[in-house]
Amino acid sequence: MLGLCKRYLYLSHRWLGIVLCLFMAMWFVSGVVMMYIGYPKLTPQERLSALPGLAAERCRVNLAQALAAGGQVKSPDSIRLTSVAGAPRYVFTYGKTQIAVDAETVNRIDQVTPAQALASAGSFLATAGGDYLDRIDEDAWTHSKALDEHRPLHRVQMDDEQATLLYISNTTGEVVRDANRNERFWNWLGAWIHWLYPFRGGALDQYAADIIIYTALAGSILSLLGIVVGLLRWRFKGRYKHGRKTPYRNGWMRWHHILGLGFGVIAFTWILSGLFSMNPWKIFDSGAAKPKLQAYMGGEISQRYFPLAVPEALARFQDAGFQAREIEWRLLNGQGYYIAFDGQGRSRILAAQANGRVFEKFGWQELQNAAERLMGQSKVSQHRVLSEYDFYYYSRAAHTMTGHIEKRLPILRLEFTDPASTWLHLDPYTGNFSKLDAGRRVSRWLFAFLHSWDWLPLLNNRPVWDILLIAFSAGGLLISVSGIVIGWQRLNRKLSA
């Protein structure tokens, strides 16, 4: 019986390997590429650096007029005043819908013409000319769900040194993605194949997530079986007749066995953590109701909380030595504030009252009061001001998957007694918050830590992190390549028999 079990174990590993080793080799190669070049994205700082300063004399439309022009009855979740092709424009967010209104003419932007898209691209990259290409729903560099509210997208090819391809929102007219020549070239070997994007956008689009999940699950099983087989076949005591610890005389089989014992655990954890990146079957979701943003704000965003006119607000930022390129409307504890951003991503806050003043940060108690209202009956069990990054709150390079999310310091961490053991991180520079419940903290271990080795002692000591990940990726690649060769040889023998 034991012999039969072993036989099925060996056969399972053999035939799974023939099917999956090609995928695994692809993942190891593309993973190394992604260490240095990520999927194209437009970071907040890149976007802000390309915007002109907001001109007070051109901001003629007040918030009430712009909201009326937007045509929505309910209050927006967020409001921005930005620039498109050099002109000021309101952008209102309602859930996953965005509506734009011209801040000079009070005209609602129903759709963007090719000429307007070209003008937006020219303003964004003013040192280069551009050629309008087409309007597309999705292509190889725009699979991100964050772009769904902007589709279809206009594409403009710029003639700068990097041959940058710009994507312009059909909803707001803003540039929402840039992809230069270097990013496009390397991503064919990086994120595009690592995330199995060839299955996106075609007949298999609706199955793309399941393909990734079940392929990664099968790869995890293959790796685990390989570890078990490798241990069973290794002679810990004594040697085989030919004098070695491994039973395999053939070079590829012998190297596959040795490499599997040396790097098999790393390969298993990487593939398994890749599976966890998809949050399969919603295993990391807490099931708790989504907190109501209005509870945090203390009301609904409307003109009555912002009696200070936008031109006057811009003048006060200017008097404080701060050149605003974008403004957000913020409601906190029932008080209105303007949050201004400059071209370097720095921010300042202005109380939106007649006697409002410009300042840098909200107080910790103000933020805690808003957070407690957000969490309802749940109580704060612990609060802490973080002045340094830790395991759950840290920053990554801009090109990485989460690198575009700004992680400022200091921030306030509040831990609550709710069933999901929620933590809130509150940014005093903007009043923004992020939520981290027990499920997401588990995901932090099982995905980010195991997959990217996001551990501060390594991240803060480059190139130790690079050397380790490249060495282990090379080991995983050699396991996969040897498996491909062994599988090809076996299939040849089967087909020739």
Side-chain angles (χ1 to χ4, degrees):
M1 184 66 178
L2 181 60
L4 186 62
C5 289
K6 284 185 178 181
R7 174 172 172 74
Y8 282 121
L9 180 66
Y10 299 158
L11 287 173
S12 298
H13 178 67
R14 176 186 301 164
W15 292 106
L16 272 175
I18 288 173
V19 174
L20 293 172
C21 273
L22 198 57
F23 278 97
M24 293 172 66
M26 175 183 69
W27 278 332
F28 286 117
V29 171
S30 58
V32 172
V33 173
M34 290 177 68
M35 289 170 58
Y36 303 101
I37 299 179
Y39 192 65
K41 65 167 72 74
L42 183 66
T43 67
Q45 188 162 334
E46 286 176 326
R47 186 178 63 81
L48 287 165
S49 67
L51 296 177
L54 287 168
E57 67 276 8
R58 300 187 67 177
C59 300
R60 305 189 183 103
V61 177
N62 65 35
L63 178 59
Q65 292 171 315
L67 285 169
Q72 300 294 305
V73 176
K74 62 181 180 179
S75 172
D77 298 324
S78 68
I79 301 173
R80 287 186 293 125
L81 180 63
T82 188
S83 297
V84 175
R89 184 166 295 182
Y90 286 95
V91 177
F92 303 112
T93 301
Y94 299 86
K96 295 184 178 181
T97 300
Q98 292 200 350
I99 294 174
V101 174
D102 192 295
E104 282 189 285
T105 65
V106 82
N107 291 329
R108 172 173 164 163
I109 312 302
D110 291 318
Q111 66 175 7
V112 174
T113 67
Q116 291 169 336
L118 193 57
S120 179
S123 176
F124 180 88
L125 201 57
T127 58
D131 293 315
Y132 182 84
L133 298 181
D134 52 15
R135 190 175 74 167
I136 53 98
D137 187 63
E138 189 172 343
D139 68 3
W141 317 124
T142 57
H143 289 312
S144 308
K145 290 187 179 297
L147 296 175
D148 287 353
E149 59 206 36
H150 298 287
R151 303 184 199 279
L153 302 167
H154 298 266
R155 296 198 304 175
V156 176
Q157 180 64 65
M158 307 303 289
D159 60 9
D160 60 316
E161 290 183 2
Q162 300 181 64
T164 304
L165 185 60
L166 296 180
Y167 295 84
I168 292 85
S169 168
N170 193 55
T171 305
T172 68
E174 298 171 279
V175 174
V176 292
R177 174 143 301 180
D178 63 342
N180 62 44
R181 182 195 295 114
N182 192 50
E183 288 175 323
R184 298 195 303 271
F185 173 80
W186 283 106
N187 262 276
W188 291 116
L189 297 174
W192 192 75
I193 58 173
H194 196 81
W195 294 334
L196 302 187
Y197 274 165
F199 295 110
R200 285 290 303 271
L204 295 175
D205 185 72
Q206 61 181 317
Y207 307 108
D210 286 337
I211 290 171
I212 297 173
I213 288 170
Y214 289 104
T215 303
L217 178 61
S220 301
I221 294 171
L222 168 65
S223 301
L224 185 59
L225 291 176
I227 293 169
V228 175
V229 169
L231 292 173
L232 288 174
R233 300 290 281 169
W234 186 261
R235 282 282 172 88
F236 290 94
K237 293 182 180 180
R239 296 175 182 273
Y240 286 92
K241 291 180 180 180
H242 54 272
R244 294 189 177 95
K245 294 284 189 178
T246 174
Y248 304 109
R249 297 173 181 272
N250 176 275
W252 282 109
M253 289 292 292
R254 183 171 68 250
W255 280 112
H256 187 71
H257 189 196
I258 294 170
L259 287 165
L261 290 174
F263 296 98
V265 172
I266 291 293
F268 170 68
T269 57
W270 267 344
I271 297 168
L272 184 66
S273 57
L275 166 65
F276 289 140
S277 74
M278 299 296 295
N279 188 19
W281 314 289
K282 308 298 181 185
I283 58 175
F284 299 123
D285 289 358
S286 67
K290 187 177 181 180
K292 293 185 181 296
L293 183 61
Q294 290 179 4
Y296 180 77
M297 296 190 298
E300 296 182 349
I301 300 178
S302 66
Q303 179 69 61
R304 71 188 183 94
Y305 292 108
F306 300 90
L308 187 67
V310 169
E312 178 61 25
L314 289 171
R316 293 193 188 182
F317 283 120
Q318 188 71 45
D319 291 343
F322 193 81
Q323 178 62 60
R325 298 197 179 192
E326 188 167 272
I327 290 180
E328 292 183 4
W329 275 245
R330 182 61 40 83
L331 200 59
L332 188 71
N333 296 316
Q335 298 293 320
Y337 299 93
Y338 292 113
I339 314 293
F341 298 88
D342 69 5
Q344 298 178 51
R346 297 173 301 189
S347 62
R348 290 295 184 273
I349 306 167
L350 171 64
Q353 309 298 319
N355 60 348
R357 62 181 182 86
V358 176
F359 57 100
E360 186 178 14
K361 296 186 291 185
F362 289 110
W364 301 122
Q365 192 59 53
E366 290 178 274
L367 295 172
Q368 182 163 337
N369 291 343
E372 288 176 340
R373 189 168 48 250
L374 174 73
M375 295 302 295
Q377 299 300 314
S378 300
K379 303 299 181 184
V380 175
S381 61
Q382 187 173 343
H383 61 91
R384 177 185 171 196
V385 174
L386 294 184
S387 299
E388 296 180 349
Y389 293 125
D390 69 3
F391 188 77
Y392 293 103
Y393 185 85
Y394 61 98
S395 180
R396 289 297 313 272
H399 71 272
T400 60
M401 190 166 66
T402 59
H404 64 290
I405 302 174
E406 189 171 26
K407 298 291 184 71
R408 301 201 199 194
L409 288 171
I411 58 101
L412 176 64
R413 173 183 288 163
L414 297 177
E415 301 179 19
F416 288 85
T417 59
D418 63 307
S421 299
T422 299
W423 293 3
L424 292 181
H425 291 135
L426 299 114
D427 179 0
Y429 298 95
T430 62
N432 291 332
F433 69 89
S434 59
K435 180 172 171 282
L436 194 67
D437 59 28
R440 293 298 166 181
R441 293 196 296 276
V442 172
S443 175
R444 163 72 181 100
W445 282 95
L446 296 182
F447 167 48
F449 175 64
L450 289 180
H451 204 68
S452 304
W453 288 31
D454 288 357
W455 187 41
L456 292 181
L458 287 178
L459 293 177
N460 294 337
N461 288 282
R462 308 280 295 268
V464 176
W465 179 85
D466 306 70
I467 292 169
L468 286 174
L469 266 68
I470 290 173
F472 289 142
S473 296
L477 176 61
L478 289 173
I479 294 173
S480 305
V481 169
S482 60
I484 292 169
V485 173
I486 293 166
W488 178 255
Q489 291 174 342
R490 180 167 291 277
L491 285 175
N492 263 343
R493 287 198 298 271
K494 289 286 185 182
L495 293 172
S496 300

